[in-house]
Every structure is written in C-alpha cells, then in structure tokens.
Amino acid sequence: LSSELGIYPLQVRRAELAIRYLRYLLALPNTCLAHKALEEADRLRRKTKSSWLGDLAFVLGSLPFRAPPLPSLANLTADGCDILIHQLRTLARQWVADSIAGMVSLPLLHGRLEPQEKGAPRAIQLCRRHYLSRVLITDHRLALTRLLCASFYFRGLHTDTSSVPFSQLSCRKCGMDVETPGHVFMQCREERTVAARRELQVTLVHDFQRVLPQMHSREHAEELMRSLIFDWNTVVPMARFVYKVVRSWR
C-alpha cells in the first residue's frame, strides 16, 4: 500500500517524527530543561542504560532496511537530523521497490513506469498512483487495485513451478495454459472473458487508435497489460475490462 498511496511505512514515519523532535531539542538553548534532559539521555545511552536516545537508536536499527546509526549527541546537529531523515526516506523507497520486485505475486508492478499527465512516464517508488484518481467508478477502481496488489489468487504464480503438477497450475476456466494474470485477462478463451476483451478492443481502436496484438507468451501479455494500465488515458477502459473479467470469474 505504501507504493500505491505514496505514504511511507508506519515504522519509518514514527522514526521520522522522533528525529524531527530531536532536531527541535537540539535547537533549544543549553539552559533549557528539555535540552538538559537530552544531554542526560545521551549520557545514559553512552553508559548503555535505558534512555530516549537509546530507544531511538534501537528503533533505527530495527527498521526493515539498514538505516544509518544514530550519532552521539556531540556529533548531532539540526542539519544532520535533516540529512538522516532524507536518508531514511531514500532507503525506505528503495526497500519498498525491492520488496515489490521480489514478490512473484505482483508481476504487473515489476518494472512499471508511472504515467504523468504531462511528460514521459518515469519510475517512482512511492506516490499516489494515477489510477486512484483517473478511474472514477468505484467498482472498476477497486477491481484494478485488487489485481495490481495481489488480492486475486492465480494458481500459476509460484516461485518454483517445476515441482507443481500442471493440473494445479492450469487455468480454471479453459485449462489451456498456466493461470497467470497475463493468461487470464489477455489469452483465456472463456466465453465471457473473450467478450470483454473484444469490447476493450473496440474501445481502444475507436478512442485511442490502439489495436490489441496477438499474444504468444505470458511475458508479452503482461507487458501489454502494463502498457494499458500504466497509461494516463487507457487505464480507464482497462479498469472496466478488469472488472468485467473478475465478475465472470466469481
């Protein structure tokens, strides 16, 4: 959800709030009680005693990615806190991207480029995705979101399919090929799926002068799906198509 909504993971946001508060404490005069408490927390941390700074250092070390260590108070500055926040955000974005790339259940998100209303598509790890605002019909938007975020079960998506019998991988509708998003939506010969695909073809030709090519592999089919979903305009008919196919699979 972080990658789709543009919201950093909760543990990162909590750490960032603590660092922002640390920056505020560092800016206080040395005579301020809050600053003196910070100095005491640093002394306790250096003695490996429980302290607020020690807890913050532990939080940074417990993040799901390797975060920079928290310096001692003598080496901490307001600018250093800003740099630390920037590093946390950069590492968090990369961690989200790497997590998606490593999940076999998210093939349509692998290598995607986020379309822009103006300008060329580009890789963005975290942002509010275009389909959340472009697809206005709730059911269509929900169906597309569930497809992209692996809420649908596809029998053919396994890390290693060599040990799984074909009968347990094949499409539940036509049985002709391994059940993957590319096959189900762009290749399956089930009657209602074919009808929905023909309707999509008519819309693409009429409104966008695009023709659905013949697809001979899962990779080709999923690449075509990505090109239609991650497009500022064709995402709307594509979401409607996904919704209709999903309904036929109930």
Side-chain angles (χ1 to χ4, degrees), residues 16 18 20-21 31 40-41 47 61-62 77-78 85 96 98 107 123 133 160 163 172 179 192 199 203 210 215 225 229:
E16 182 178 331
R20 290 184 183 278
Y21 181 61
T31 56
E40 183 62 25
K47 294 179 179 180
S62 301
T77 63
I85 290 172
V96 169
D98 291 343
S133 57
D160 180 15
S163 60
R172 284 167 284 179
E179 187 179 291
R192 286 174 293 180
E199 181 181 331
T203 302
R210 291 190 62 171
M215 284 147 290
M225 291 182 70
I229 293 172

Side-chain angles (χ1 to χ4, degrees), residues 137-144 185 196 237-250:
I137 299 177
T138 303
D139 287 342
H140 298 179
R141 184 172 62 249
L142 179 60
L144 181 59
F185 288 92
M238 191 63 182
R240 181 171 62 247
F241 164 67
V242 169
Y243 170 71
K244 290 186 176 183
V245 173
V246 167
R247 287 191 64 188
S248 72
W249 274 70
R250 289 179 180 175

Side-chain angles (χ1 to χ4, degrees), residues 204-215:
L204 291 175
V205 171
H206 183 269
D207 295 344
F208 306 103
Q209 293 74 53
R210 291 190 62 171
V211 178
L212 289 180
Q214 290 291 328
M215 284 147 290

Side-chain angles (χ1 to χ4, degrees), residues 112-116 120-124 129:
R112 70 169 166 188
L113 297 176
E114 181 67 16
Q116 308 296 308
R122 56 194 180 95
I124 304 177
R129 299 299 173 178

Side-chain angles (χ1 to χ4, degrees), residues 2-3 7 9 91-101 125-126:
S2 294
S3 68
I7 299 174
L91 291 168
R93 290 195 299 270
Q94 190 58 52
W95 173 72
V96 169
D98 291 343
S99 298
I100 291 174
Q125 292 97 338
L126 271 72

Side-chain angles (χ1 to χ4, degrees), residues 61-231:
S62 301
L63 291 172
F65 49 85
R66 189 171 182 177
L70 183 68
S72 63
L73 184 58
N75 297 314
L76 274 171
T77 63
D79 289 341
C81 289
D82 290 334
I83 293 173
L84 182 55
I85 290 172
H86 176 74
Q87 290 175 326
L88 280 182
R89 290 190 167 196
T90 301
L91 291 168
R93 290 195 299 270
Q94 190 58 52
W95 173 72
V96 169
D98 291 343
S99 298
I100 291 174
M103 295 182 68
V104 70
S105 59
L106 300 174
L108 296 177
L109 298 186
H110 294 171
R112 70 169 166 188
L113 297 176
E114 181 67 16
Q116 308 296 308
E117 186 173 6
K118 296 181 180 179
R122 56 194 180 95
I124 304 177
Q125 292 97 338
L126 271 72
C127 72
R128 181 176 172 81
R129 299 299 173 178
H130 73 297
Y131 61 83
L132 296 176
S133 57
R134 290 290 295 154
V135 181
L136 301 181
I137 299 177
T138 303
D139 287 342
H140 298 179
R141 184 172 62 249
L142 179 60
L144 181 59
T145 303
R146 293 182 66 194
L147 169 64
L148 294 175
C149 296
S151 292
F152 297 134
Y153 170 66
F154 294 97
R155 299 173 72 187
L157 293 182
H158 294 271
T159 303
D160 180 15
T161 59
S162 60
S163 60
V164 184
F166 179 76
S167 60
Q168 297 179 21
L169 298 173
S170 60
C171 177
R172 284 167 284 179
K173 290 290 185 178
C174 69
M176 296 175 62
D177 204 346
V178 175
E179 187 179 291
T180 63
H183 170 78
V184 167
F185 288 92
M186 308 309 292
Q187 294 176 302
C188 182
R189 304 306 300 172
E190 192 270 334
E191 182 179 355
R192 286 174 293 180
T193 301
V194 171
R197 199 156 53 233
R198 286 174 179 166
E199 181 181 331
L200 173 65
Q201 170 75 83
V202 171
T203 302
L204 291 175
V205 171
H206 183 269
D207 295 344
F208 306 103
Q209 293 74 53
R210 291 190 62 171
V211 178
L212 289 180
Q214 290 291 328
M215 284 147 290
H216 304 290
S217 68
R218 167 194 171 181
E219 291 75 18
H220 186 198
E222 290 177 357
E223 182 58 37
L224 176 63
M225 291 182 70
R226 277 190 287 268
S227 72
L228 293 172
I229 293 172
F230 302 116
D231 181 278

Side-chain angles (χ1 to χ4, degrees), residues 16-90:
E16 182 178 331
L17 283 174
I19 296 171
R20 290 184 183 278
Y21 181 61
L22 173 60
R23 182 180 60 186
Y24 162 75
L25 294 177
L26 290 170
L28 295 175
N30 293 343
T31 56
C32 181
L33 289 178
H35 194 281
K36 290 184 178 296
L38 180 64
E39 293 174 346
E40 183 62 25
D42 181 60
R43 281 192 290 270
L44 289 171
R45 179 193 175 194
R46 284 187 276 111
K47 294 179 179 180
T48 66
K49 304 291 185 180
S50 296
S51 67
W52 182 75
L53 281 177
D55 291 344
L56 179 54
F58 177 80
V59 167
L60 293 177
S62 301
L63 291 172
F65 49 85
R66 189 171 182 177
L70 183 68
S72 63
L73 184 58
N75 297 314
L76 274 171
T77 63
D79 289 341
C81 289
D82 290 334
I83 293 173
L84 182 55
I85 290 172
H86 176 74
Q87 290 175 326
L88 280 182
R89 290 190 167 196
T90 301

